Amino acid sequence: MGYTAIEKVLARVSGKPGVRAGDLVYPEPDMVMIHDALVKEAKGELDRIGISHVTRPQKIMMVSDHDVVYGSARAAERGAFNRKAAAQWGVTQFYDAGRGGHGHIFPMEDGKVLPGMFYFDNDTHATNAGAVGAFGMRVGNEISRVLATGTTWLEVPRTILLELRGQLRAGVMARDIGFYLARQVKRKVLDIDLDYRVLEYGGDLDALSFGARVALCSTPTEMRAAGVFVPPSAAILAYCRRHAQRDFEPVYSDPDAVYESRHELALGDIAPQVSLPGNVGNAVDVEEATGTRVDHAFIGSCGSGTYEDMLCAASILKGRRIAQHVRLFIVPGTERSTRRLAEEGIMRILLDAGAMLLPAGCGPCNDAVVGPLAAGEASISTSTNNNAGRFGPTDARLYLGSPATVAASAVAGCIADPRMLDADPELQGLSEAAYA
């Protein structure tokens, strides 16, 4: 019997000829990532037991992405603490505010996270690494143990295969696939339990760009997936080779790999989706929510923060203005994207439409440390989830959609079908070649 891609990755970093789902392993990661929000807690825990140094600091990447714009003295103090911690630990891969962007996007763009890699991360959305065929494993507060010892134990997760068949219809984006999947699982149309599983995509994937693959990795995270894996295409491998900062070897599941279960999803059946407040699985076809007033819109997050997503928004916003009562925040995922928006004239299109651009990072998705709602307001966004209180008040109504749906809704002042607005064809073409 063959092995899944994740079993192969974990076997390599565990020094074993092969591992199976359910095995306990102590992987030696290719990298360790810790985000700004947990550095103080992790260092405090190590300091209390007398550990002042970390194991293999050259492998550690510290990223400031959750709280980029300090909106309080507490945030500024945390940032100062993180800078001192990086210096004390000898961490040279420290990407402070303004230095990289979102930790779940820019390392892939810059060739730091590559196909076949494995790393530990304190944050749930390490699953994004699957967009290039890597595996990031969230360990939460156990990141302190990884920092101190270089590893921690984990159980090799089972893998579920989801084969995507056909092509998406016009106006439908990869982010809609995730919402539709969550909807089908919640309604028990698909018998899938992603809790501590890896979701591997298969089928008709070659046409899916980097941005689309990032989007595919987002929603399964909210369904408690331990990982997501998208087999890298020739185009993805070519991009990674151009930017790689180290050697890498892509992995693929064997034809006779053992999966917990196999499923198919017909892409042609999917319309633009809107997740109603409370859970990503509360998704409906956009027509069922059309006309719902919104006061707030946000395009960004690790689910929809790539340059392609920014271009998609611009293709709809070009020559239009957002509704007078709507405030629209756009947050590029990376500093590289921010520079491209400025250099290629896209930023002007977004600003002319009335959007507000925030620095690269999580933006409002980090519990609305910037861009919160007032009590009773409604938002539509590309945030990772829409749990009550995510953007501040618990009575605010939070809807989710693709970048196209959010941009169209910001213009209409209410939830709108993006297929009702003609997108600029030139910008659409740029989007398709954004990472060529």
Side-chain angles (χ1 to χ4, degrees), residues 12 21 35 47 63 158 167 208 228 239 245 277 313-314 331 358 389 423:
R12 175 182 65 81
H35 300 256
D47 288 347
V63 179
R158 301 168 184 171
Q167 294 183 332
L208 295 177
V228 182
Y239 178 86
Q245 298 190 19
V331 185
L358 296 179

Side-chain angles (χ1 to χ4, degrees), residues 122-147:
N122 71 274
D123 192 273
T124 304
H125 292 96
T127 51
N128 261 27
V132 294
F135 182 30
M137 182 71 183
R138 185 253 184 182
V139 290
N141 290 330
E142 291 297 307
I143 197 72
S144 57
R145 178 183 296 176
V146 177
L147 294 171

Side-chain angles (χ1 to χ4, degrees), residues 174-316:
R175 195 69 194 277
D176 294 308
I177 299 173
F179 298 139
Y180 185 79
L181 170 64
R183 161 187 173 176
Q184 298 298 84
V185 171
K186 185 171 183 179
R187 297 182 182 183
K188 303 189 183 303
V189 177
L190 284 175
D191 183 17
I192 294 178
D193 179 4
L194 287 182
D195 192 10
Y196 200 76
R197 270 78 164 179
V198 170
L199 179 67
E200 178 177 330
Y201 287 101
D204 300 325
L205 303 177
D206 284 351
L208 295 177
S209 62
F210 171 69
R213 289 162 185 257
V214 170
L216 285 179
C217 293
S218 181
T219 305
T221 311
E222 308 308 318
M223 301 164 70
R224 302 182 63 83
V228 182
F229 181 78
V230 190
S233 63
I236 293 295
L237 292 178
Y239 178 86
C240 290
R241 290 189 180 107
R242 287 197 300 274
H243 297 275
Q245 298 190 19
R246 57 177 290 168
D247 293 335
F248 69 90
E249 185 66 37
V251 297
Y252 298 88
S253 294
D254 293 327
D256 58 344
V258 179
Y259 294 100
E260 181 178 62
S261 59
R262 298 169 181 255
H263 308 269
E264 287 192 4
L265 205 61
L267 298 182
D269 292 344
I270 303 174
Q273 300 290 294
V274 171
S275 283
L276 306 181
N279 186 273
V280 292
N282 295 339
V284 297
D285 289 355
V286 66
E287 291 92 343
E288 296 185 40
T290 298
T292 303
R293 175 190 166 101
V294 294
D295 309 282
H296 172 282
F298 157 52
I299 298 171
S301 87
C302 55
S304 297
T306 68
Y307 190 67
E308 293 174 49
D309 296 310
M310 306 298 113
L311 283 173
C312 171
S315 72
I316 290 176

Side-chain angles (χ1 to χ4, degrees), residues 334-385:
T334 69
E335 296 296 337
R336 180 195 291 264
S337 291
T338 301
R339 286 192 294 273
R340 289 186 68 181
L341 291 174
E343 292 168 358
E344 298 176 12
I346 308 303
M347 189 176 292
R348 177 65 180 269
I349 294 171
L350 300 173
L351 294 175
D352 284 350
M356 295 175 279
L357 268 73
L358 296 179
C362 296
C365 195
N366 178 32
D367 294 328
V369 293
V370 292
L373 271 68
E377 287 190 319
S379 168
I380 185 165
S381 78
T382 63
S383 181
T384 56
N385 70 64

